[in-house]
Amino acid sequence: MKGEAGSMQHNEKPKQEGHIWGSMRRTAFILGSGLLLLVAFWNSVTWHLQRFWGASGYFWQAQWEKLLSTFEGMEWMLYFIGAIQVPGLLFWSFNGLLLVVDTTGKPNFISRYRIQVGKNEPVDAEKLRRSIRTVLFNQYMISLPMVVLLYPVLKLWGNPCRRELPTFHWFLLELTVFTLIEEVLFYYSHRLLHHPTFYKKIHKKHHEWTAPIGVISFYAHPIEHVVSNTLPVMVGPILMGSHLSSITMWFSLALIITTISHCGYHLPFLPSPEFHDYHHLKFNQCYGVLGVLDHLHGTDTLFKQTKAYERHILLLGLTPLSESIPDPPKKME
């Protein structure tokens, strides 16, 4: 019996190693294929975009110089508007529209795209009020001071309110770097928060919402909000010494994307929220943003066996994916 057990353990190890190497090969193949496609279309796409950017570049440069003249000697105020007020206004405008649907179930043409049917119909009013108080605290007592402190840090690398706007190609490079840094930092910090040591005291708060809505993207323990929500978004602009225009666009984009990921509706022509919605439903799958590290570490294997994975696509029509790709009927016990 001992010999058989030893033989089984001996055979298990090569299988595990084979699984890891297989996962790495598949990831390398996906990334390599994507890179080849990107290189193939890069010149064509950037040529057209550069023409648009170049045509409007003089206009935006002129508007930026007018702003600099208006806020001369008060660039910190311009930074405050661009890095805090503009992204915050977009966040609450988008979430305000979603909250109308969450609390009333109307209009029907939006509520029909709900991912977890039967959940939050309507949302619990008291739970929502409590969550919004936490979100406001995190935004204005934690995020706001952190973004204010970001200003002197950025000035060590160069003035974020410098006169010349970044070129189109430089902004694309920055956006790529920002996205990759956020993916790495968010995945590993998020996965760390699921460790039993931290989950019960910190991350469990966010998972009170097993069927998430947009505004709860910032419903989290203060430690989680710093480590997992805010720092992964801020590190990229620090490393790149970014211009305020890049920071404004990146912060705004990050807030809109996290809202979509939590919104609970798979809406047409918007990125799919199925991946993160499944994380809230099952807790131990789909930790990242892009899904690349989940694929590499095998933390999306169960997700890939579900109908939610089949629905994890960009919806280009008006028929809800819950209707065109319905869940299998539940087994009768």
Side-chain angles (χ1 to χ4, degrees), residues 123-140:
V123 69
D124 182 276
E126 177 53 36
K127 185 178 181 182
L128 177 61
R129 281 194 292 269
R130 187 173 66 249
S131 298
I132 288 177
R133 284 196 294 269
T134 299
V135 170
L136 290 170
F137 176 85
N138 284 339
Q139 275 195 311
Y140 294 104

Side-chain angles (χ1 to χ4, degrees), residues 217-234:
S217 52
F218 278 1
Y219 178 67
H221 187 283
I223 293 176
E224 176 181 354
H225 187 65
V226 171
V227 172
S228 202
N229 290 343
T230 308
L231 284 178
V233 177
M234 290 175 59

